Amino acid sequence: MIDRRTVLASSLALAACGNTAAAPAIAATPLKSIAPFPIGTCAMTGQFQDPAWVDLCLTHCSQLTPEWEMKMEYILSETGEYRWDAPDRIADFCTTHGLRLFGTTLIWYSQDSAYFRSLSGERFRTEYDRYIQTVAQRYRGRATGWDVVNEAVAENGAGLRTCLWSEALGQDGYIARAFEQAKLADPDAVLFLNDYNLENLPTKGATFLRLVERMLKAGVPIGGIGTQSHLDIEIPAGQTAAFFREAAQFGLPIHVSELDASLRSEGRIDTRSQRQKIEQQTARVAELTEAFMDLPPAQRFAFTVWGMRDTDSWLRRDARDDGKDSPLLFNAQARANPMFQAVSDAIREGV
């Protein structure tokens, strides 16, 4: 058995010195070969032209989620036309390489569509149903699951968001309707309610789980729980595991859908050393992975990291980025970060 403390201590020392080129070969075993569930990442079609990205993805992953090219802002034009070039390329890439396709997202509060803003009343409802059914039906039999509704809970966890969809169909109404339409369109896909900060903010996690409970009691066909797991590395130990125990009580499949763990500090002076930040990061990521491994096997839908290399991360596209954040499993040279070892060891020990 691998001694996690020895390998991780070596990785931490190298990371603290900035010696990523000399990192130990801790990525020799592909994650997909040791995990008894799918390992996923996100993708944009431009990455298919990058042989290093393709090699890293196919070495470690068995599932792919479109990062944004299957979202409404890509597919639906301001005048109501649909475009399929990029999402079709992603679906075809999955077919060619034997990867599971996971679809995201059918309805998202952030998709403030100009086309839907021009509609009202019965026309709005008809087009809402048509959009969900058209997209889900196109990938029926190819997409193993869908984020049907994304980020419905308010930022601070105090209730649900007000958005274009809730204004037209009601805060619970737009959610229920989306799941009903998705179920009609793709009855075999696993249908997820997905959100973020569920581990980071207990209030938000509790509101989210109450929403799941309310929907299930109303007969809404929610088939799974998606937790994005953009982890705050400073949250207290045990908080992530507590959320997973609560979420598991529904018996639904759970998807770690967008894992990353930024080293950046937001809104305060940061006196921590790089080593301290990496220790916090690996501890929180290890706890998350262990909590996922503690689920019954039938509830482990997939474990998806939101990007392959640090330089692929949405966090590195932020205007505030200083080029030093390391939120993913691999660095720019596709060498394993300490976070990789935390995930790998937790999976091995939990099997």
Side-chain angles (χ1 to χ4, degrees):
M1 177 179 290
I2 293 173
D3 185 333
R4 179 197 298 186
R5 291 171 297 179
T6 300
V7 178
L8 187 55
S10 174
S11 301
L12 286 169
L14 287 163
C17 295
N19 189 7
T20 55
I26 60 175
T29 305
L31 284 179
K32 68 180 183 182
S33 72
I34 64 172
F37 45 79
I39 296 291
T41 192
C42 63
M44 295 185 290
T45 53
Q47 292 168 324
F48 300 159
Q49 309 308 312
D50 178 353
W53 182 92
V54 171
D55 181 65
L56 194 62
C57 171
L58 297 182
T59 296
H60 292 279
C61 297
S62 49
Q63 179 174 294
L64 210 59
T65 302
E67 185 168 352
W68 75 276
E69 289 165 317
M70 204 176 272
K71 292 184 168 77
M72 185 183 288
E73 62 264 36
Y74 185 90
I75 290 175
L76 188 66
S77 74
E78 293 184 0
T79 54
E81 287 83 23
Y82 292 68
R83 65 169 174 167
W84 303 108
D85 56 328
D88 281 356
R89 282 189 65 199
I90 294 171
D92 290 345
F93 182 89
C94 288
T95 299
T96 298
H97 296 287
L99 302 171
R100 292 204 321 181
L101 171 67
F102 185 80
T104 194
T105 179
L106 295 175
I107 297 295
W108 184 22
Y109 85 92
S110 185
Q111 295 168 332
D112 200 327
S113 165
Y115 175 65
F116 275 97
R117 283 286 178 192
S118 71
L119 308 176
S120 62
E122 188 58 35
R123 180 69 189 283
F124 186 103
R125 292 187 287 274
T126 298
E127 290 300 304
Y128 185 84
D129 295 351
R130 183 169 83 95
Y131 177 80
I132 294 168
Q133 292 204 22
T134 299
V135 177
Q137 284 176 347
R138 188 174 185 89
Y139 301 103
R140 179 172 175 171
R142 302 181 77 181
T144 188
W146 287 93
D147 288 330
V148 176
V149 174
N150 193 42
E151 300 175 5
V153 178
E155 186 76 18
N156 63 1
L160 304 185
R161 294 183 188 272
T162 298
C163 59
L164 169 63
W165 317 115
S166 67
E167 289 170 351
L169 302 170
Q171 283 191 318
D172 281 10
Y174 88 90
I175 300 169
R177 192 177 187 114
F179 276 93
E180 289 160 0
Q181 294 303 317
K183 187 68 173 178
L184 289 171
D186 194 353
D188 295 327
V190 185
L191 306 180
F192 284 82
L193 184 67
N194 188 54
D195 219 313
Y196 70 99
N197 276 350
L198 303 179
E199 303 95 344
N200 298 337
L201 300 176
T203 298
K204 187 168 185 178
T207 299
F208 176 86
L209 295 179
R210 286 196 298 270
L211 173 61
V212 173
E213 182 177 32
R214 189 163 69 247
M215 290 289 154
L216 291 175
K217 286 182 176 178
V220 176
I222 291 177
I225 290 171
T227 177
Q228 293 180 19
S229 299
H230 298 293
L231 292 181
D232 180 348
I233 65 174
E234 297 184 56
I235 63 175
Q239 193 163 293
T240 294
F243 171 76
F244 270 74
R245 286 193 296 271
E246 291 295 316
Q249 293 181 23
F250 294 105
L252 296 173
I254 294 177
H255 185 194
V256 172
S257 60
E258 302 184 19
L259 171 63
D260 52 37
S262 177
L263 298 175
R264 289 197 316 226
S265 178
E266 301 293 347
R268 70 172 180 83
I269 297 173
D270 192 347
T271 60
R272 295 169 299 167
S273 68
Q274 184 76 352
R275 182 187 179 94
Q276 288 172 322
K277 288 187 285 187
I278 293 173
E279 286 175 344
Q280 286 180 291
Q281 179 195 59
T282 53
R284 297 291 73 75
V285 170
E287 181 184 334
L288 171 81
T289 313
E290 289 163 3
F292 189 77
M293 292 301 299
D294 285 342
L295 295 170
Q299 288 187 259
R300 300 180 202 145
F301 178 80
F303 192 91
T304 294
V305 181
W306 208 238
M308 292 303 303
R309 303 163 299 194
D310 291 334
T311 44
D312 299 320
S313 173
W314 67 283
L315 293 163
R316 294 289 294 269
R317 301 176 206 139
D318 192 311
R320 299 166 296 170
D321 180 53
D322 60 4
K324 298 178 182 178
D325 198 8
S326 184
L328 295 174
L329 302 187
F330 300 95
N331 68 13
Q333 292 75 42
R335 293 188 173 91
N337 288 323
M339 184 172 155
F340 175 92
Q341 193 67 42
V343 171
S344 178
D345 284 352
I347 293 173
R348 288 178 185 275
E349 293 173 12
V351 172

